[in-house]
Amino acid sequence: ALEENFATRLPKDLPIVFYHARDDDVVPVSHLALYKEKLPQATFLELDKGGHQLDKDLSKVAHDIQKL
């Protein structure tokens, strides 16, 4: 569980990206809404497939990091 004020302790210019697969059978994709409420400055990416571990394929994440 995150502390209520966790977002206030993050640097304002920190790029935050959430990746979540719609077919995750551990964490419901509806949890993204909880983070969107607390971190409106973040980017939220819903992937069609990948399960809880993104099928152990972080190439999308790595590609996005390279673009930074």
Side-chain angles (χ1 to χ4, degrees):
L2 295 170
E3 293 181 19
E4 184 62 32
N5 64 344
F6 78 97
T8 63
R9 291 183 277 155
L10 297 173
K12 298 295 182 204
D13 60 346
L14 178 70
I16 301 171
V17 181
F18 286 81
Y19 297 82
H20 199 108
R22 291 185 184 101
D23 66 347
D24 185 333
D25 60 352
V26 177
V27 179
V29 73
S30 61
H31 281 204
L32 281 183
L34 302 172
Y35 287 98
K36 284 180 182 180
E37 182 181 315
K38 301 292 184 184
L39 297 165
Q41 76 277 20
T43 300
F44 296 85
L45 301 173
E46 290 184 40
L47 309 171
D48 288 328
K49 296 190 183 280
H52 187 63
Q53 296 293 327
L54 301 178
D55 288 335
K56 297 182 181 177
D57 178 6
L58 297 179
S59 59
K60 169 74 174 138
V61 177
H63 180 268
D64 289 349
I65 289 170
Q66 287 178 328
K67 290 191 318 187
L68 293 175

